[in-house]
Amino acid sequence: MAGGGAGPAVTVCTDAAEFAALREEWNRLHRSSPTATPFQSHAWLHSWWLSYGDAGALRVVLVRRGGRLVAAAPLMRRMRPFPVLTPLGAGISDFGDVLVDEEAGEYAVEALGAGLWRLAGSAVVDLREVRPGSAAMTLHDNWPGLRRRFDDSACLELPALPMDDLVQRLPRPRAQRARAKMRKLDATGIERRVVPAAEVDASVRRLLDLHQLQWQERKVTTEHVKPRFAEHLSRSAALMAATGDAVVTEFSLDGSVVAADLTFVSPRLAGGYLYGAHPQLRERKIDVATMLLRSCTQHLQEGARSQVLSLLRGTEPYKMHWRPEQLVNQRLLLARPGSAPQLAALLAAIGARSGAKRARQVWRERRGGPA
C-alpha cells in the first residue's frame, strides 16, 4: 500500500528480511524522534522479533517522504481469538511508542494514522505501555474512528541529577542512611567497570546467571529464565551498546564479578532494565539498589544526556525511598466502526481482568498480605 503524488508514501513491511534491512534508516529515525525510548530502537525490536515473533504476523507501517523514512509503527498481528495489532516488544518492553521524525511534523503523524486506519479495517490496534507525551498519544488524539484509553503500568522517575543531589532531596534521616550505605559500599572495595561493546554479549549472559542466582528459592519473573529471553537480551544489548543506547556495568569484589547491570540510555530517559547480584552481597548487607542507582547517575555524568532517570515499571518500596514522581503508562485502543464487535470483545476481556485483579487485591488486604 502506498500514497501517490509528491506526498508521503505509506507502506507496510511484512517481511522479516526487509525489516532487518531497515536498520540504518530506522536508527536515523529513532535518533530524530524526540519521544522515542531505547525500546523503540531497531536492535531491540528486531531482536525481539527473532525471539518472539510469529511467522507471517509482521506488520510494520512505514512512512517515507522523498525516500526518507519519517515515521514508523512497529506492529504485529495476533489472533486472540480475533485479529489484534500489537506492538513489537510487547511484554518485556517498559515503554511502547511509534516513531515520528521531529522535522516531519503533523503530516507524518497524519500519514501514519492513514496507514494504521487501513490495517484497522480487519483488526483492533492495541498499543500498550504508552508513556504520557509520546507520539502514540498524538496518534490516538487524532484518530477519526473508535478509540479507548486505559491506565497501564505505573512508572517512577527521578530528575537526571548527580547522586549527591538526589540524596539532598531526601528527608534528613533518610539522606543520612543513604550516605552511610554509600560509605559502606566504598569501604567494601567494590570496583565498577563499564563493559566495552565487544564484551557485552558475554557480560549479559553473566548478568542473567547472577540474576537467576539472586532469585534462587524466591519467586522470579518466569520469562527472565527462558532461553529465548537470554538470546534476545544478549543479542540486542550488544547492538545497543555499539550505538550508545545501552550500557552494561560490572561490579567486582576480590577479583570476581558479583553484580552486573544493563542500563538503557536515550535523550528522553535513562534507566536500569535488569541486573543480577550474587547473594553474598545481601549477606554482607550491601545495598545493591543504592549501588545501581549511583552507577546510573554516573552514566549521566560520563556522557549520557537524558532528561530523566527512569526507575521504569513498578512501584516497589525500594524505589519509593527516593521520592520519585509517578507516571502512568497508557493503553490505547484504536478501531474502525467495522471492527466494533472485536473492540467490544476486547473491552469485555480488559474489564474482566481488571475485576479479577481488584478481587485479588481485596482478598490479600483482608488476609493482611502484600497488595
Side-chain angles (χ1 to χ4, degrees), residues 314-370:
T315 56
E316 296 87 347
Y318 77 88
K319 296 180 181 179
M320 302 304 293
H321 290 166
W322 294 95
R323 301 178 68 184
E325 177 185 355
Q326 179 170 306
L327 298 178
V328 180
N329 287 345
Q330 299 294 294
R331 181 175 188 175
L332 310 178
L333 303 181
L334 310 175
R336 288 171 58 167
S339 55
Q342 294 98 314
L343 178 62
L346 184 54
L347 291 173
I350 292 171
R353 283 194 294 269
S354 179
K357 183 178 180 180
R358 285 194 299 270
R360 286 195 300 269
Q361 184 172 1
V362 169
W363 179 74
R364 287 170 181 161
E365 289 172 352
R366 287 175 178 172
R367 292 181 69 247

Side-chain angles (χ1 to χ4, degrees), residues 62-131:
L62 304 171
V63 178
R64 288 186 172 87
R65 189 170 192 181
R68 179 184 175 92
L69 187 65
V70 294
L75 305 172
M76 67 178 291
R77 186 180 175 94
R78 291 188 183 275
M79 301 295 294
R80 53 179 193 185
F82 46 83
V84 179
L85 290 164
T86 61
L88 301 184
I92 61 171
S93 297
D94 286 69
F95 300 112
D97 200 4
V98 298
L99 296 177
V100 177
D101 190 316
E102 186 173 24
E103 295 182 2
E106 294 180 7
Y107 78 81
V109 176
E110 239 177 75
L112 192 61
L116 285 175
W117 180 262
R118 296 181 192 180
L119 286 181
S122 57
V124 176
V125 181
D126 184 3
L127 304 178
R128 301 294 305 270
E129 304 297 355
V130 176
R131 193 172 183 272

Side-chain angles (χ1 to χ4, degrees), residues 241-261:
T243 56
D245 294 313
V247 183
V248 177
T249 312
E250 291 185 342
F251 303 85
S252 300
L253 185 62
D254 300 328
S256 298
V257 176
V258 292
D261 167 73

Side-chain angles (χ1 to χ4, degrees), residues 175-188 294:
Q176 290 174 335
R177 288 194 294 273
R179 292 189 183 99
K181 290 174 181 177
M182 288 190 289
R183 286 195 296 270
K184 183 169 185 177
L185 279 168
D186 295 335
T188 304
R294 182 166 67 167

